[in-house]
Amino acid sequence: MSGHETKTVMVTGGSGFIGSAFCRHCVSDLGWRVVNLDALTYAAADGTMKQIEGHPRYHFVKGDIADRVLVADLFLRHSPAAIVNFAAESHVDRSIDGPLAFINTNVVGTASLLEATREFLGGRDAGFRSAFRFHHVSTDEVYGSLALDENAFVETTAYQPSSPYSASKAASDHLVRAWWHTFGLPVTITNCSNNYGPFHFPEKLIPLVIIKALRGEPLPVYGTGRNVRDWLFVEDHARAIAMVLQNGETGETYNVGGNEERSNLEVVEAICDLVDQRVPLSNGKRRRDLITFVADRPGHDLRYAIDNTKICDQLGWRPSTRFESGLAKTVDWYLDNEWWWQPLLEKRYQGQRLGV
């Protein structure tokens, strides 16, 4: 898939946090046509597609990626030039509580989607097949944990997943590569660092802390808060995926990171300061005083860090949003969009634990 001409892209899991940012980017910025297949599980919240709902280039279908009949029908009706697979269970704590759902979606679902794509391409001519892309969106968590002084993950870092979530994503990555090597399916993979930004589901670290800070509630931090993550603004990630679709080499993996490593405690403290500046507590206290340290979660990886040299050098992508400005934008968005997150808090979903 190349160039900027109008193309049809099938996006799976496009109503989630990162998938919705990608769909908005494709329709609004690139002029592409998007077919969004999403099962609308708990993390697919109403309102994420408000910007493009009703747009003639956006088409939504409710369904599961493992529904081979539905997926085959969508392929035949829309003849996409690419498929971008975001569909996944993605919360580490949930994978500890119920790992089999992660195997079903992330492993079995991906295998089903790969087979449906292979069958679709089997009926197309050589030119269509060579231009087609199956892009799989994955995570840096497949690489395991780094020491504080270790070099960042590169594309050839050995996989050492630590949680049921990261193990299921590692398995799906291996399946995608197997379909490339065995069947010649034209695939690309991206492994990203922690995303943040508007429409992030409220159980994740940054939105959870923003909302709790607004309400003056205790701010739980795992362990001592020393765990480090590399933070990537979600709109930068959307741009990266689009660039890989247009110019990436088939069979290749590209690591996408923001070059913004912060400890969890640093992130929480920065949010406290930003919320204090915008909505001071009536009692005059600092929100940093609300931080409470709680028991660490099982198998909590110490550090993730992405070396994004490959995608920068080969495709010309760069993260454009520094963490400080991106976090400020994110805090402001949550302050201005209670209509979106308040209904999610009123729904029943497991836990208030931090998702990093």
Side-chain angles (χ1 to χ4, degrees), residues 113-127:
L113 195 61
L114 286 163
E115 272 297 89
T117 305
R118 186 165 73 96
E119 290 176 3
F120 166 65
L121 290 180
R124 312 296 295 196
D125 61 44

Side-chain angles (χ1 to χ4, degrees), residues 86-131:
F86 290 96
E89 295 282 349
S90 64
H91 194 282
V92 173
D93 286 326
R94 286 178 180 269
S95 79
I96 295 170
D97 294 333
L100 291 185
F102 287 71
I103 304 303
N104 288 334
T105 298
N106 300 355
V107 182
V108 178
T110 298
S112 179
L113 195 61
L114 286 163
E115 272 297 89
T117 305
R118 186 165 73 96
E119 290 176 3
F120 166 65
L121 290 180
R124 312 296 295 196
D125 61 44
F128 185 95
R129 291 197 302 271
S130 65

Side-chain angles (χ1 to χ4, degrees), residues 1-2 130-136 155 176-177 180 185-190 240-254 310-311 314-315:
M1 179 174 176
S2 61
S130 65
F132 185 91
R133 293 293 181 271
F134 182 110
H135 182 74
H136 181 64
E155 287 79 2
V176 173
R177 292 192 183 95
W180 154 249
L185 196 71
V187 307
T188 49
I189 298 173
T190 46
I241 293 169
M243 293 181 77
V244 171
L245 271 186
Q246 294 175 89
N247 300 311
E249 293 291 329
T250 55
E252 290 295 316
T253 295
Y254 300 88
K310 180 177 177 178
I311 191 172
Q314 295 186 11
L315 303 185

Side-chain angles (χ1 to χ4, degrees), residues 88-214:
E89 295 282 349
S90 64
H91 194 282
V92 173
D93 286 326
R94 286 178 180 269
S95 79
I96 295 170
D97 294 333
L100 291 185
F102 287 71
I103 304 303
N104 288 334
T105 298
N106 300 355
V107 182
V108 178
T110 298
S112 179
L113 195 61
L114 286 163
E115 272 297 89
T117 305
R118 186 165 73 96
E119 290 176 3
F120 166 65
L121 290 180
R124 312 296 295 196
D125 61 44
F128 185 95
R129 291 197 302 271
S130 65
F132 185 91
R133 293 293 181 271
F134 182 110
H135 182 74
H136 181 64
V137 181
S138 191
T139 172
D140 58 1
E141 296 190 38
V142 300
Y143 298 121
S145 182
L146 289 170
L148 294 177
D149 59 353
E150 276 190 276
N151 291 333
F153 301 129
V154 294
E155 287 79 2
T156 55
T157 298
Y159 278 23
Q160 291 184 306
S162 305
S163 68
Y165 161 60
S166 57
S168 69
K169 288 299 290 184
S172 67
D173 292 6
H174 290 319
L175 290 173
V176 173
R177 292 192 183 95
W179 261 248
W180 154 249
H181 286 290
T182 303
F183 305 114
L185 196 71
V187 307
T188 49
I189 298 173
T190 46
N191 293 84
C192 69
S193 57
N194 277 47
N195 281 223
Y196 70 103
F199 296 109
H200 204 177
F201 198 72
E203 71 185 355
K204 299 289 189 170
L205 174 67
I206 286 178
L208 179 63
V209 171
I210 292 171
I211 293 167
K212 283 183 171 291
L214 279 173

Side-chain angles (χ1 to χ4, degrees), residues 31-42:
W32 294 353
R33 182 171 176 267
V34 170
V35 178
N36 173 19
L37 173 64
D38 197 298
L40 296 184
T41 59
Y42 76 95

